[in-house]
Amino acid sequence: MTDLVIRALTESDAHLFRTLPDPGLVGRAAFGHSYATVREGGEYRPEWTWIAERDGVVVARAAWWSGPADTAPVTLNWFDFADGEDEAGTELLRQSPLYAEYELILPAGWRDRPDVAAAAEARIAAARAAGMKPLVERYRYLWTPECGLPERPGRLTFRPEPDDAVILDVLRRVHSVTLDAHARRAIEGPGGLEQAAQEELDFFHWCPSPRSWWQLAYTPEGEVAGLHVPARNPGGPCIGFIGVVPEQRGHGYGYDLLVECTHFLAAEGAEFIAGATDQGNAPMAAAFARAGHPVTQERIHLV
């Protein structure tokens, strides 16, 4: 078999990314996304887009994504390869100098579709062969006005909190007992709980939405119940964060926070609201379902 040529694209040859036939089963393209560079009005940078060529034909491709101001990729969210070119996909990931979490985007219920499951498993296997490992599977939700606004339970009061130190303290409390796989991974690292809380706070600041949107929730007795962060990321309005402090769990307050977050963004004119939670976080998944946020995708994260 002819040797592979693995390289980054440039603005002048970025069109080569689109020459690999789209499998149409998994990944960004399956949901109507097309590859375009920032200069073309898209989301991707040629220097963070790599291809593997054989005899001048693209047989594997990978595109790392970031926000407009980021100086390093945030995630790998486009990775696929031609039939029979699994090893080329693996070698592409091995040789690329870029490192970021791989987010494999899949339709809801993908395991019930043999063709989609086979395509997904091939990508996972190629990424694992390159040294990555699965971290978590997540549900992705998309609320639209047609879903209707859930009624506010009225059990909590909500107030903006301008002090980052107060927010950081609440995040420490929330993550001290957590089902979130990303937070648990941070906690297991050298930075521990402090790192997990700081990463969350950094994400809030990374979002281009106003700082004034962040709100703490209080019980009728005036005790902090949790935090909700209505946000906008580069893709649009989203549920930035929902967290209940450990001593207030067991009352279903996660639902109250999610409902308030939904109302807040709807009042800001959101035509859709994206959200996500780990599939293993049953209480939060139940809250999304009860609040009328339908699952539109599933995502597998590998690190």
Side-chain angles (χ1 to χ4, degrees), residues 246-287:
E247 62 269 27
Q248 296 293 345
R249 292 177 188 169
H251 305 292
Y253 285 152
Y255 174 77
D256 301 49
L257 292 164
L258 177 60
V259 168
E260 188 64 25
C261 203
T262 305
H263 274 267
F264 188 103
L265 289 168
E268 291 291 328
E271 297 181 0
F272 65 87
I273 302 170
T277 195
D278 292 4
Q279 292 187 12
N281 191 340
M284 200 65 235

Side-chain angles (χ1 to χ4, degrees), residues 3-77:
D3 290 343
L4 285 175
V5 174
I6 295 175
R7 64 181 179 89
L9 292 175
T10 65
E11 197 68 54
S12 64
D13 63 6
H15 64 279
L16 292 176
F17 192 87
R18 298 184 284 267
T19 62
L20 180 63
D22 176 17
L25 296 174
V26 299
R28 299 279 285 172
F31 294 93
H33 296 275
S34 59
Y35 177 86
T37 66
V38 172
R39 185 178 295 179
E40 294 170 331
E43 302 177 305
Y44 295 99
R45 308 183 197 187
E47 65 272 24
W48 292 349
T49 304
W50 283 63
I51 59 170
E53 295 174 295
R54 197 186 301 281
D55 291 330
V57 176
V58 176
V59 297
R61 59 188 178 181
W64 283 260
W65 177 89
S66 72
D70 290 318
T71 58
V74 172
T75 185
L76 167 64
N77 66 7

